[in-house]
Amino acid sequence: MWPPDADPEPDPESADGPRSGRTVPGLRALLPARAFLCSLKGRLLLAESGLSFITFICYVVASASAFLTVPLLEFLLAVYFLFADAMQLNDKWQGLCWPMMNFLRCVTAALIYFVISITAVAKYSDGAYKAAGVFGFFATIVFAIDFYLIFNEVAKFLKQGDSVNETTAHRTEGEDDSNSDSDSD
């Protein structure tokens, strides 16, 4: 999907006029691949961005200026990570610790959504607050699932790294023992 194909598709507009059912190749390059959107990570990011946007709209309708920033910020971050994962920016920008950034984003989002959802449901009686609270609880669950999966991936990666370190440590200890035996003769 990214970078765009070297051979661009023919111009969708011919002499007869625009063809139906065809999209402009430049815009297609901005869309995430269907395979990524069907993956578990893609679905979670779509759910996070969708629930954050719906929660934001509910707080706008309720005129809750104190609660507007969290859903808006989480929506923008979820969309950013959606496109960053779809365009494989984590492979291109090696200097950033992508799993840790994504993990911290999900943990903080789950905690903050949980707190503001409880506040919105318990303190206010307006229907928009209640709706925002319910969508906030759903967003809390989705963010919690996401950070649980990220944590499992990172833990598995660290366990593999530890086992590699242990085997190299055993090898160097074995070499040190054999060198000390040969020095004693």
Side-chain angles (χ1 to χ4, degrees), residues 86-97:
M87 302 298 178
Q88 298 172 346
L89 292 180
N90 54 353
D91 296 334
K92 295 177 185 175
W93 295 341
Q94 294 289 329
L96 300 173
C97 185

Side-chain angles (χ1 to χ4, degrees), residues 12-156:
E13 292 187 20
S14 63
D16 300 17
R19 292 185 217 164
S20 62
R22 307 254 351 233
T23 60
V24 180
L27 294 176
R28 187 179 302 158
L30 295 176
L31 296 176
R34 181 177 297 226
F36 175 73
L37 292 177
C38 292
S39 70
L40 180 62
K41 185 65 179 172
R43 288 180 185 173
L44 283 172
L45 284 169
L46 280 174
E48 290 169 4
S49 59
L51 287 169
S52 295
F53 185 72
I54 291 171
T55 306
F56 172 72
I57 295 299
C58 289
Y59 282 129
V60 167
V61 170
S63 302
S65 60
F67 299 133
L68 286 177
T69 51
V70 172
L72 179 62
L73 182 64
E74 291 304 329
F75 168 71
L76 294 175
L77 286 173
V79 168
Y80 171 74
F81 274 93
L82 175 73
F83 281 104
D85 284 344
M87 302 298 178
Q88 298 172 346
L89 292 180
N90 54 353
D91 296 334
K92 295 177 185 175
W93 295 341
Q94 294 289 329
L96 300 173
C97 185
W98 288 92
M100 187 57 72
M101 289 189 324
N102 204 4
F103 178 75
L104 290 175
R105 175 188 67 87
C106 291
V107 168
T108 57
L111 291 175
I112 293 173
Y113 263 122
F114 186 69
V115 169
I116 66 169
S117 296
I118 287 175
T119 306
V121 170
K123 189 174 181 182
Y124 301 102
S125 61
D126 188 18
Y129 280 105
K130 302 282 186 193
V134 169
F135 284 116
F137 284 128
F138 287 140
T140 300
I141 293 168
V142 171
F143 279 108
I145 291 170
D146 198 8
F147 82 71
Y148 174 75
L149 294 174
I150 293 169
F151 178 77
N152 283 341
E153 289 175 11
V154 171
K156 188 185 305 180

